Amino acid sequence: MQLTVFAVGRMKSGPERELTGRYLGRLEKAGPAVGLTFAGVTEIAESRASDTDRRKADEGAHCLSLAEDRTTALVAFDEGGKTLSSDEFARWIARQRDDGRKRALFAIGGPDGHAPSVLERADLAVSLGRMTWPHQIARILVAEQLYRAVSILAGHPYHRQ
């Protein structure tokens, strides 16, 4: 199953981009052993629409265009989502793979969050906790958890309990 990250907002050069890249590089190397390949990051600029609903709709349309095919599992990172353990997240990914999903899209919304249409389409909404995180840190967290999920599924010692 292919894993793709969709993110609203451009990641600038710096330590956050480097750390995200480090985790995604590890994911790319370790994933194939457990049937998961990293297909990259699709990032779009934040919408310039004048109101929140229009901005979310514009950004959401881009996300949904990547998840039109129902063989794509869509995970929306959202403050109202479920709080999962790393093990639960890894098992969810494994179930999607084992159920024949061809792709999983992990969506990080913009400053206004996801459009209602994205949350309705999502197979899973996940919260990164009750705190608010800057976009760059949210990307690091998602990249690390994807790598951790692969490590868990591979039985690698990176994930210790």
Side-chain angles (χ1 to χ4, degrees), residues 44 47-49 52-63 115:
I44 64 165
S47 171
R48 299 278 185 210
T52 302
D53 290 340
R54 186 73 233 152
R55 281 192 301 273
K56 290 193 317 187
D58 290 349
E59 294 162 358
H62 286 283
C63 179

Side-chain angles (χ1 to χ4, degrees), residues 34 36 87 90-91 93-94 97 148-156:
V34 294
L36 301 170
D87 284 318
R91 284 194 304 271
I93 292 170
R97 176 202 62 201
R148 185 175 295 272
V150 165
S151 298
I152 290 168
L153 297 174
H156 189 275

Side-chain angles (χ1 to χ4, degrees), residues 75-109:
V75 177
F77 290 96
D78 182 77
E79 64 186 354
K82 294 179 182 179
T83 304
L84 301 177
S85 70
S86 295
D87 284 318
E88 290 168 329
F89 186 57
R91 284 194 304 271
W92 187 88
I93 292 170
R95 271 194 311 278
Q96 303 312 300
R97 176 202 62 201
D98 297 346
D99 287 347
R101 294 288 185 109
K102 293 183 173 142
R103 186 170 176 218
L105 181 66
F106 299 89
I108 303 168

